[in-house]
Amino acid sequence: MSYKFGVIAGDGIGPEVVREGLKVLDRASKIHGFEYELKEYPWGAEHYLATGETMPSSAYDEYRLMDALLLGAIGDPRIEVGLLEREIIAGIRFTLDLFVNLRPIRCPADHVCPIKDKTAKDIDMLVVRENTEGAYSQVGGVFKKDTADEVAIAEMIYTRKGTERVIRYAFEEAMKTRRKHLTMVDKANAIRPQDLWTRTFEEVGREYPNVTTDHAYVDAACMWMIKNPEAFDVVVTTNLFGDILTDLGSVLQGGMGVAASGNIHPGQVSMFEPIHGSAPKYKGKNKANPLATILAVGMMLDHVGESVAAKDIEDTVVELVASRRIPDLSSRSGLKTDEVGDLVVQSLSSTATER
Ligand code: IPM
Ligand code: MN
C-alpha cells in the first residue's frame, strides 16, 4: 500500500517533535512494508508573519486527497491569542468535519504512575471527545467592547446529529475493549440543554446491549479519574469537557509529553497530533519529548489500516519506558528529543521479522 500524508510541523517545538515522528514513520514503513509520500506545509507563526496568511483555503483541496495529516504544534506568543490555533487546528477539525477527537490515556509503566496506591494497569482509558461543536462553535461575540457595559456571549451548540454520531462512535470503541464499558461525562444538571446528550446516550445505548454504561458529571469525573481511574474504560464527552479532562488524563499517563490524539472522521482524511502545545521556551533546545508525536504517528497508521505497524510503535514506546531505557517523560531532564526518536527507531519491531 502507498499513502499520502500531509505534514504541518508548525511552531515552537512542533518541528523537532515531528522530525522524530517522521523518522519512526520511515522505519515502520520499511519494517511493515508500506510506502508513503509526504507533503510538508509551512503553516504557523513564521508563515503568518511573512505573508499574513494563516492557512489558504486551497490547502483543504489537497488535504481531501490525502490519507491523513500529521500536525506538530501551533501557537506563538508574538501573535494574537488563539488566532493560529483557531484557524489552523480548529479550522482543520471543523472544515474536514473531524467529529471525533480520540485521546487514549494509558499509563506505560508503574514508575511513571503519579497516583499513590495505583499502578499502570489501573490507568487504561480512551476518551472520545466531540470535536466539531459545543463551546468551540465560535458562535457569539462581544457587544460594547471596552466599555463598562461590555457583553460577551459564547454559545455552546449541540446538535442531535453531532451528539449521536460521536456517541455511536464511542459505543463502537467500547465494543472493542475487554471491559466493554462506556461512561458519559456531561454537566446536564447545571447546563440543561445537555439533556440532549443524556437522551441520545440512552437511545443509542439500546443498540449496544453488550456495553455497560454509566454517567458522571464532569466535576465528579475529574475527581474519579484520580481517585478510581480503574473505573474508566471508554469515555464520551463534549468538546470543552474533553479538552479539560484529557489534560488531567495526560498526567495519569506520565505527562503531556506522551499524550497523543487523533482528530478523526472514519473513512476520511483525518489529522493526528500530540495534545501538547508549542512550548515556545523549549523551541530548538532538543529537549521536548517526542513520544506524543511518535504515538500520534502510530494512531495515524492505525487509521489508514496499518494496524500491525501501529501496534508495533505503541508496544515499542511502552517497552522503552517500562525498561527505563527512556528514563524520564518530562522535557526537563533525561534524553534529548532526537535520542528518544533514535531509540524508538532502533527498537521498533526488534522481535518481528523484516519483510
Ligand atoms: C487541544 C488544544 C486545542 C483545543 C487548542 C489549541 C485550540 O488545547 O487540542 O486540546 O482546545 O482543542
Ligand atoms: Mn487542550
Side-chain angles (χ1 to χ4, degrees):
M1 275 301 274
S2 182
Y3 306 102
K4 201 155 184 209
F5 299 126
V7 178
I8 303 165
D11 300 320
I13 59 172
E16 38 200 300
V17 293
V18 162
R19 193 174 308 127
E20 302 313 308
L22 294 180
K23 269 171 28 187
V24 173
L25 175 64
D26 178 58
R27 178 75 184 137
S29 75
K30 295 193 169 108
I31 297 174
H32 297 284
F34 61 87
E35 281 167 29
Y36 64 93
E37 239 179 87
L38 293 181
K39 170 132 194 212
E40 307 204 24
Y41 294 97
W43 325 138
E46 295 305 336
H47 182 78
Y48 177 70
L49 290 171
T51 64
E53 168 184 79
T54 51
M55 188 170 68
S57 57
S58 59
Y60 287 108
D61 301 333
E62 298 187 17
Y63 300 160
R64 288 196 178 91
L65 301 174
M66 294 180 170
D67 295 286
L69 306 174
L70 179 69
L71 184 141
I74 296 289
D76 186 292
R78 292 170 295 175
I79 289 158
E80 180 196 321
V81 176
L83 173 76
L84 297 175
E85 293 90 324
R86 282 196 310 277
E87 299 242 331
I88 300 174
I89 302 179
I92 291 173
R93 290 175 183 168
F94 281 67
T95 307
L96 296 179
D97 198 27
L98 309 178
F99 65 92
V100 170
N101 195 323
L102 197 61
R103 299 187 157 189
I105 300 174
R106 289 191 198 105
C107 182
D110 291 349
H111 70 275
V112 296
C113 173
I115 306 180
K116 186 160 95 132
D117 302 331
K118 300 289 177 192
T119 57
K121 70 170 186 344
D122 294 317
I123 296 162
D124 183 1
M125 49 190 122
L126 182 65
V127 176
V128 178
R129 164 187 175 187
E130 200 292 317
N131 212 29
T132 49
E133 42 186 59
Y136 285 69
S137 67
Q138 295 187 40
V139 172
V142 289
F143 178 51
K144 299 192 180 175
K145 193 163 192 270
D146 291 329
T147 73
D149 297 325
E150 181 161 348
V151 176
I153 296 178
E155 301 284 4
M156 290 188 186
I157 293 184
Y158 306 105
T159 66
R160 169 69 201 209
K161 175 185 158 192
T163 306
E164 183 174 331
R165 65 185 181 174
V166 76
I167 288 176
R168 180 162 280 114
Y169 184 96
F171 271 104
E172 291 291 333
E173 285 302 308
M175 288 289 286
K176 297 181 203 157
T177 71
R178 185 178 49 78
R179 290 161 56 203
K180 302 192 175 23
H181 187 64
L182 176 61
T183 305
M184 189 176 71
V185 172
D186 62 37
K187 190 69 192 176
N189 53 348
I191 306 171
R192 273 317 280 155
Q194 286 193 357
D195 180 55
L196 173 63
W197 280 73
T198 316
R199 284 178 281 122
T200 308
F201 188 69
E202 222 175 85
E203 270 172 49
V204 176
R206 280 188 222 122
E207 298 168 30
Y208 298 88
N210 297 332
V211 176
T212 56
T213 58
D214 65 17
H215 168 263
Y217 294 126
V218 64
D219 48 350
C222 290
M223 184 257 298
W224 288 117
M225 264 174 73
I226 307 293
K227 203 169 145 70
N228 285 106
E230 71 282 2
F232 293 95
D233 181 21
V234 181
V235 173
V236 64
T237 192
T238 68
N239 203 340
L240 180 61
F241 296 160
D243 177 45
I244 298 167
L245 270 187
T246 52
D247 265 35
L248 176 71
S250 78
V251 180
L252 301 183
Q253 64 195 121
M256 268 296 184
V258 285
S261 71
N263 301 269
I264 295 171
H265 189 124
Q268 294 185 16
V269 60
S270 294
M271 188 258 281
F272 297 82
E273 54 173 340
I275 86 169
H276 62 66
S278 58
K281 66 175 182 195
Y282 292 112
K283 179 187 161 118
K285 297 211 159 81
N286 199 20
K287 277 186 168 177
N289 189 341
L291 287 178
T293 304
I294 290 170
L295 290 168
V297 167
M299 293 180 76
M300 178 171 89
L301 289 176
D302 196 51
H303 175 77
V304 301
E306 294 292 334
S307 52
V308 177
K311 185 163 184 330
D312 188 14
I313 292 174
E314 189 183 354
D315 289 351
T316 301
V317 169
V318 169
E319 165 54 26
L320 287 170
V321 176
S323 65
R324 299 187 197 240
R325 290 174 67 205
I326 295 176
D328 190 334
L329 296 177
S330 78
S331 37
R332 286 180 299 280
S333 58
L335 297 171
K336 303 255 181 258
T337 307
D338 56 346
E339 291 170 339
V340 173
D342 289 343
L343 261 178
V344 176
V345 165
Q346 287 154 18
S347 315
L348 218 50
S349 218
S350 40
T351 52
T353 37
E354 280 201 39
R355 291 198 223 169

